[in-house]
Amino acid sequence: MNPRDFQAPDETQLVDELPLLRAVIDAVPDPIFCKDREGHYLLTNRAHSERLQVPHGSCLGKTVFELGIDPDLARRYHDDDLQVLQTGEPILNREEPFEWKDGSRGWYLTSKYPLRDAAGSVAGLVGLARDVTERRKAERGFHDERQMLRTVIDGVGDSIFFKDVNGRFLLVNEAHKKLFGFTTAAIIGQTDLDLSQRSGYSEAYVRSYMADDRRVIESGVPLINREEPVTMADGTQGWSLTSKFPLRDAEGRIIGIVGIARDITELRRATEELARSRQHYQTLVEATETGYLVVDERGCVIEANAEYVRQTGHATFDEIRGRRVLEWTALHDHERNTRELERCMSTGFTRHLELDYVCPDGRILPVEINARLLDDSGGRRIIALCRDISDRRAAEMERKRIERKLQETQKLESLGVLAGGIAHDFNNLLTGILGNASLVSMDLPPDSPVLSSIEQIEIAASRAADLCQQMLAYSGKGRFVVRSLDLNRIIAETTELLRISISKKATLTLDLAHELPAVQADATQFRQIVMNLVVNASEALGERGGVIRLSTGAVHAGPETFSEAHLGPDLPPGDYVFLEVVDNGCGMDPDVRARIFDPFFTTKFTGRGLGLAAVLGIVRGHRGALQVETEPGRGTTFRVLLPAVEGAAEVTGRSLAAKTEWRGSGIVLVVDDEATVRAATSQLLRSLGFEVRLAVDGVEGVEIFRAAPQAFALVLLDLTMPRLGGGGVYEVVRALHPTVPVVLMSGYNEGEVAERFGDDGPAAFLQKPFDLPRLREKLVAVLG
């Protein structure tokens, strides 16, 4: 067409074509933009807005500084714009950094061209940008991969070398230089013939190498495992097992060869040793604890060692040859097994795949599989290593079991702290009730009708004290007077009480072992264990009656014994004495079984839910364990395990009560932070003939005692107080007056006092709550 025949489109035609032009620009996947000389955006396509993560068209009329871009990057883009606008020359293919609003960074390949008006003046610029972030990542990855490949090549123990089509060395690894005794500078660019003339290589060897190189280059066929004679670095003759492969460029043209050579000198010199080594290797493969498996694309077995055959539960390889692995894979793993087979075929590997194999006898064997795809002239196959992870699976289950036990122990400890604190506070309150009740009863004539009411108050307070003792027992802070005991003797002494405490329809039988080892235990607390377990068994029998069997014995216990026991996992193995209470009652379902040791949990209408909780606390305090076996409708067995000790058991006697007419004299300092305890105790002491000084806490007690240490005949001291506890007060009292008797009071147990003070402890311990007879008995023992 002749240019003179061209007619410029009229304005209407331009208006009609403008939407088409904009649609074409918006369809371009790369950002396109136009700016005026002041840098204001005149036009942007949709790709430009998407890259900036802003609404389409929102950039128009703005400069690059108004788009929320990093100021340094905006200045860089603006400087490039000025260069194009001022010089009129385009900027082509400049790589520029970019930062998106989400903080991620990338790179653009940007070109900017001057935009000229009808007069040819630069009126603005037009720019095109292409996201090359992935390309730059690929280039960096290629560099890293090349460096990694070189590291791997140098790390290979076999000789690796590259040559061009003329036989000149291009690259050798460290093993090659070590094998032949050359440096990199001496090898690169040289041929085998050049090196032979410098080092005394056999020319016949060299001619053979060069002929093999030429054959590979001309035919394009690799030379595999050719045994070749070589001259070693020390000048001796050796042998290498060499493979040579054609090295091709991107278009498939052969540009050289790559070779791998392994020193097999010692192998050739000792063929018998090689045969023995092969036999040894074969034996190791068969004897290894890792299963070896080769399957085809359908998952059918081609090869397997004896260990893998064992993992499938079969006796010989012929039983699984040609069969699909799915046949012995658990049904719930079929889909995963099929998916991983396909994944291995596509990606070339599978790692840490855990499956369950189902053996012909029904056993479940967990295995871990690591597999690789082998694709060669023999076809596509998967080579897998299968490891029996039964021990690991069992260890995981054991870890979870221990974690559950730990959580249970922590729960019991938390509840124990709560129960112990409540019992301690209640004991302080009960001290005031019992003490004042004793005082009132002393002042009343024997025929007073009020005495019966006082007696009911004392009975109710005593029962409340018993409840507190059970709560303290659960918390592990009950009153323990530990001696070497014969459990059989304790049970025998309690038998009659047990028989009258159980249902008339229940039969109690004893099966006590002869010559039972002694245990370190508190007799009263152990009686409570026996009573609570036997009464609990009687209640489980209900109205239909049944048999309760109480037995003792000795056993050597270890981790297996303690694995399912309460309080057991941390106990050391050794000799233990057990108490076992068995009933053939209603048993318990799992939900009830999980809560029987929770304080205040009970299935009985009249129960308080403290009996079994107290048993667990006492056992914890004695560093023992407790086993429970139960099943609905088949009865329950409780077994208490306590550490056995050497030596004979002590024979415990009964202490004589203090005489009721005993009276004392002198001043007694009472230190307690509870007002009710101070008031009741002072009244009781005055009724016994003492003068009393009171202190509201340890700090005041020290001040009063320090003022006149010799004035006091006795100090009655609470163990737990704010500001300064009983331990701190005791140390000050001992320093000021070493011989004054000190009696410690506490709602906790005597064992806590013994543990805190050791051999240099107070003269006596008084368990809260107490009444006048108990206080009198303790003072008689201390003062005489």
Side-chain angles (χ1 to χ4, degrees), residues 243-454:
S243 296
K244 297 179 179 179
F245 305 87
L247 186 62
R248 301 177 185 273
D249 61 14
E251 298 178 355
R253 294 175 299 196
I254 296 176
I255 58 174
I257 64 168
V258 55
I260 302 175
R262 175 171 294 175
D263 183 2
I264 59 170
T265 303
E266 294 302 322
L267 295 178
R268 284 186 55 105
R269 290 176 181 175
T271 55
E272 292 182 2
E273 182 64 26
L274 174 61
R276 287 194 296 270
S277 297
R278 285 177 177 174
Q279 183 61 39
H280 180 62
Y281 173 76
Q282 185 65 28
T283 302
L284 288 177
V285 169
E286 290 299 327
T288 182
E289 295 182 357
T290 301
Y292 168 79
L293 171 69
V294 181
V295 298
D296 61 17
E297 293 181 90
R298 297 182 300 116
C300 296
V301 177
I302 300 174
E303 298 177 29
N305 67 347
E307 171 59 17
Y308 184 79
V309 174
R310 182 199 68 80
Q311 291 173 3
T312 66
H314 294 84
T316 64
F317 172 66
D318 290 335
E319 295 181 60
I320 65 172
R321 187 200 305 269
R323 294 171 59 184
R324 299 187 70 189
V325 174
L326 280 178
E327 293 185 37
W328 47 84
T329 302
L331 185 62
H332 60 265
D333 283 334
H334 273 206
E335 182 179 350
R336 190 149 54 98
N337 183 78
T338 302
R339 185 171 64 250
E340 288 298 325
L341 178 65
E342 295 172 353
R343 180 175 180 271
C344 189
M345 286 294 179
S346 61
T347 65
F349 65 90
T350 290
R351 294 176 181 169
H352 308 304
L353 171 64
E354 292 190 11
L355 299 174
D356 286 340
Y357 280 174
V358 181
C359 301
D361 60 2
R363 290 183 299 109
I364 302 295
L365 183 79
V367 297
E368 181 186 77
I369 299 175
N370 292 277
R372 286 254 176 205
L373 175 66
L374 180 63
D375 191 357
D376 57 15
S377 58
R380 289 165 62 85
R381 294 157 293 163
I382 292 178
I383 300 178
L385 296 178
C386 305
R387 188 159 57 94
D388 182 349
I389 58 172
S390 299
D391 291 342
R392 189 178 78 188
R393 183 77 60 84
E396 291 176 355
M397 295 177 63
E398 176 66 12
R399 177 180 58 80
K400 292 179 180 178
R401 186 195 64 76
I402 292 175
E403 287 178 353
R404 289 195 299 270
K405 286 289 185 182
L406 179 59
Q407 291 173 356
E408 179 184 354
T409 301
Q410 290 173 340
K411 180 188 75 173
L412 293 176
E413 289 178 351
S414 298
L415 290 172
V417 172
L418 175 62
I422 293 173
H424 175 267
D425 291 343
F426 267 91
N427 276 335
N428 279 330
L429 297 175
L430 291 173
T431 299
I433 295 173
L434 281 175
N436 284 294
S438 296
L439 291 170
V440 172
S441 63
M442 289 175 56
D443 294 336
L444 291 174
D447 57 350
S448 174
V450 180
L451 277 177
S452 60
S453 299
I454 298 299

Side-chain angles (χ1 to χ4, degrees), residues 530-585:
V530 177
M531 179 65 71
N532 287 1
L533 292 180
V534 171
V535 170
N536 188 74
S538 174
E539 293 173 345
L541 295 177
E543 293 299 324
R544 67 184 183 88
V547 178
I548 303 172
R549 180 170 58 84
L550 194 156
S551 59
T552 60
V555 65
H556 185 81
E560 293 183 359
T561 304
F562 296 134
S563 60
E564 298 298 328
H566 294 271
L567 312 174
D570 296 330
L571 293 181
D575 294 328
Y576 286 77
V577 174
F578 70 82
L579 162 71
E580 188 174 81
V581 179
V582 183
D583 68 71
N584 58 351

Side-chain angles (χ1 to χ4, degrees), residues 649-699:
E650 298 179 20
V651 179
T652 58
R654 298 178 179 270
S655 60
L656 296 176
K659 295 181 179 180
T660 58
E661 65 273 11
W662 182 89
R663 294 180 63 80
S665 63
I667 303 174
V668 177
L669 174 61
V670 177
V671 186
D672 197 298
D673 60 313
E674 290 289 340
T676 55
V677 175
R678 293 195 305 273
T681 304
S682 64
Q683 291 286 350
L684 292 174
L685 289 170
R686 289 189 177 96
S687 70
L688 293 175
F690 291 98
E691 297 180 35
V692 181
R693 294 289 303 277
L694 300 176
V696 298
D697 58 25
V699 174

Side-chain angles (χ1 to χ4, degrees), residues 25 161 347 398 404 504 622 637 708:
I25 292 175
F161 55 89
T347 65
E398 176 66 12
R404 289 195 299 270
K504 294 181 179 180
H622 285 79
T637 298

Side-chain angles (χ1 to χ4, degrees), residues 8-45:
D10 58 21
E11 185 176 343
T12 302
Q13 183 178 359
L14 288 174
V15 171
D16 293 340
E17 292 179 353
L18 186 60
L20 177 63
L21 177 61
R22 179 169 293 280
V24 171
I25 292 175
D26 280 341
V28 176
D30 296 329
I32 298 176
F33 56 90
C34 295
K35 299 181 182 179
D36 61 17
R37 289 191 62 86
E38 286 72 34
H40 297 98
Y41 282 95
L42 302 175
L43 179 145
T44 62
N45 70 342

